[in-house]
Amino acid sequence: MSQTAELARVKVRIKALTEKTVANGCTEAEAMSAADMVGRLLERYALSMDEIEVRAARCVQAEVPMGGQRRRPVDACIPAIARFCDCKVWLARASRPKFDDENFDRTQPGSRYVFFGFETDTVLATYLFAVIDRAIMTESATFKQANPSLRAVRLRRASASFQHGVAARVSERLDAMRSARDVSVQAQRPTGTALILTRHRIVDEAFRDTNVRLVSMAAVGRRRIASAFRQGWQAGERVNLNRPMTGDTVGLIG
Amino acid sequence: MIGQPVAFAAAQGMVDAIWADRELRYPPAVTRLAPHATTTIACANRLSLWLPEQTPAWCLLHEIAHAMSTSVEGHSDGHGPVFMGLYIRLLVRYLRLDGTTLCASLHDAGISVARNAQPVFLDPDSPMRM
């Protein structure tokens, strides 16, 4: 049994999908949908991007505003998102004005996370961040409603612990999904982890050319109120990280 | 064995086994059917099967036949002759249903069947597998 023609068509399709980027005029939703399908096809057919001849694909930077001066619980998910999307990530701090600096440019961007990788991957990373951020907000609101007895400092601490719990669980799930994906690819490919290694090598090489030098930073927050953290952990289980069901497949009645 | 309802957790293994038994590569992935789906029992395309917590065995084979009769570009035979040919072969092989009875029933109902149907994604020169 041979499926050579199918594999060739899949490669052509992946290549076409990788052209669907925001830079090429697609909407963010179209680019996101294309990135999703690329990921799915690569996984199902155990292909590497190298085999699709996207070695020359440009690595790009995608920025996610930090949303203030202080890091938030959702920021704890950033490393897991980057690992899941095969991106590098760093925090670009905004420069602060000196007290007597009247010429300070206040229009420059604030602190932000920068994802670096293939455009499809960075789009996925920013999308995931938005999904998780929104989920944490929604779950926090539910948590506050469910605990009307909490007030003032206690409420703030419990809410923060809850959010840390959500972020910790989501991070763990992302890492588990990444491991499962890698194992799946490894099981299907005779060449083992070639897909993962190739993607990492391309991103690493492109990253070296950027002259960005990274330093490690402390982890975000810690558990203060164990019960709130546990509830957050459970809420993190509910965050929908699955790929969306799209297209006319929904209409196929079994 | 396969006459019993198939639990979601066991479905991927079942699909992989059937796929391998048919000497096919790149099996579709089993994904959980959206919990708000009320009219759809299950659905499938070349890349994925969406299944509920428990799936009747005939339904799983039905979806596998869909996966076999749909191209990666999304072109599907629907419930056409190719699908029917594949489905019957799966029912006969894995549920031990009588092929002659099934074909006669389909004939009576005016449903056409491609008797030598092969998965649509196989190369044209692939040897026929019964």
Side-chain angles (χ1 to χ4, degrees):
Chain A
M1 293 288 174
S2 174
Q3 293 170 239
T4 315
E6 182 190 35
L7 204 56
R9 291 205 314 275
V10 167
K11 289 178 183 176
V12 169
R13 188 159 183 225
I14 291 175
K15 191 160 188 177
L17 285 166
T18 56
E19 300 294 320
K20 289 192 168 186
T21 62
V22 175
N24 284 347
C26 292
T27 64
E28 198 169 315
E30 287 168 339
M32 189 59 226
S33 175
D36 178 68
M37 183 52 83
V38 167
R40 204 176 305 185
L41 289 170
L42 286 173
E43 186 187 347
R44 298 287 196 283
Y45 289 87
L47 288 166
S48 72
M49 292 302 273
D50 197 31
E51 290 169 274
I52 316 297
E53 296 176 343
V54 291
R55 201 175 257 287
R58 209 161 50 90
C59 283
V60 298
Q61 296 183 12
E63 297 184 349
V64 174
M66 207 173 101
Q69 289 292 328
R70 303 180 64 182
R71 293 162 73 194
R72 297 175 298 154
V74 66
D75 296 8
C77 295
I78 292 279
I81 292 173
R83 285 192 294 272
F84 182 74
C85 300
D86 296 322
C87 291
K88 287 191 174 296
V89 69
W90 63 90
L91 173 60
R93 288 278 189 195
S95 53
R96 294 183 180 179
K98 293 176 182 170
F99 71 95
D100 58 346
D101 185 0
E102 293 177 357
N103 297 323
F104 183 77
D105 180 9
R106 295 186 185 280
T107 61
Q108 61 181 299
S111 297
R112 66 240 175 245
Y113 288 102
V114 184
F115 289 102
F116 180 89
F118 289 119
E119 182 164 8
T120 47
D121 293 336
T122 56
V123 169
L124 180 61
T126 53
Y127 168 80
L128 272 177
F129 180 84
V131 166
I132 296 166
D133 190 27
R134 198 162 51 239
I136 288 179
M137 293 298 173
T138 308
E139 292 290 351
S140 289
T142 309
F143 172 77
K144 286 176 186 172
Q145 280 181 352
N147 295 276
S149 60
L150 294 173
R151 291 270 191 277
V153 176
R154 181 81 182 161
L155 174 61
R156 278 203 302 279
R157 285 185 178 166
S159 184
S161 294
F162 176 86
Q163 293 185 10
H164 283 304
V166 179
R169 180 62 188 132
V170 168
S171 296
E172 192 180 87
R173 286 178 58 201
L174 283 172
D175 282 337
M177 287 163 67
R178 173 174 172 258
S179 298
R181 184 187 65 196
D182 291 353
V183 167
S184 165
V185 170
Q186 194 170 356
Q188 289 183 61
R189 279 186 63 81
T191 48
T193 55
L195 164 66
I196 302 132
L197 293 176
T198 303
R199 289 175 71 80
H200 289 176
R201 196 175 64 242
I202 294 170
V203 173
D204 284 344
E205 285 170 3
F207 181 71
R208 269 198 293 277
D209 296 338
T210 63
N211 290 325
V212 174
R213 294 292 168 261
L214 302 183
V215 292
S216 57
M217 56 194 297
V220 181
R222 61 173 187 269
R223 180 177 58 177
R224 287 178 175 172
I225 300 175
S227 60
F229 185 90
R230 273 199 302 277
Q231 288 182 58
W233 182 273
Q234 288 162 3
E237 194 67 46
R238 295 193 291 269
V239 178
N240 185 6
L241 300 173
N242 291 329
R243 296 178 190 282
M245 198 166 157
T246 56
D248 52 3
T249 54
V250 183
L252 278 175
I253 295 177
Chain B
M1 162 191 70
I2 202 166
Q4 301 299 317
V6 180
F8 180 84
Q12 183 68 66
M14 203 80 84
V15 170
D16 291 349
I18 291 173
W19 215 256
D21 185 44
R22 309 311 293 173
E23 296 180 18
L24 301 173
R25 297 184 69 196
Y26 318 120
V30 172
T31 309
R32 205 174 285 277
L33 188 69
H36 55 262
T38 51
T39 53
T40 305
I41 302 173
C43 59
N45 62 18
R46 171 65 187 88
L47 299 178
S48 304
L49 266 67
W50 286 273
L51 301 177
E53 198 52 49
Q54 293 282 336
T55 310
W58 61 265
C59 183
L60 177 64
L61 296 178
H62 181 113
E63 300 309 334
I64 290 174
H66 272 308
M68 289 179 174
S69 58
T70 305
S71 72
V72 71
E73 290 85 4
H75 304 304
S76 171
D77 187 51
H79 291 132
V82 173
F83 165 83
M84 290 309 305
L86 292 166
Y87 186 30
I88 283 186
R89 206 172 297 170
L90 292 172
L91 288 172
V92 170
R93 181 166 177 81
Y94 299 106
L95 287 188
R96 305 289 181 209
L97 298 185
D98 180 41
T100 312
T101 310
L102 289 173
C103 286
S105 166
L106 289 169
H107 182 264
D108 291 346
I111 298 171
S112 57
V113 181
R115 287 176 188 269
N116 295 324
Q118 293 276 69
V120 295
F121 43 78
L122 283 181
D123 290 347
D125 56 351
S126 283
M128 190 72 74
R129 192 183 187 291
M130 304 306 285

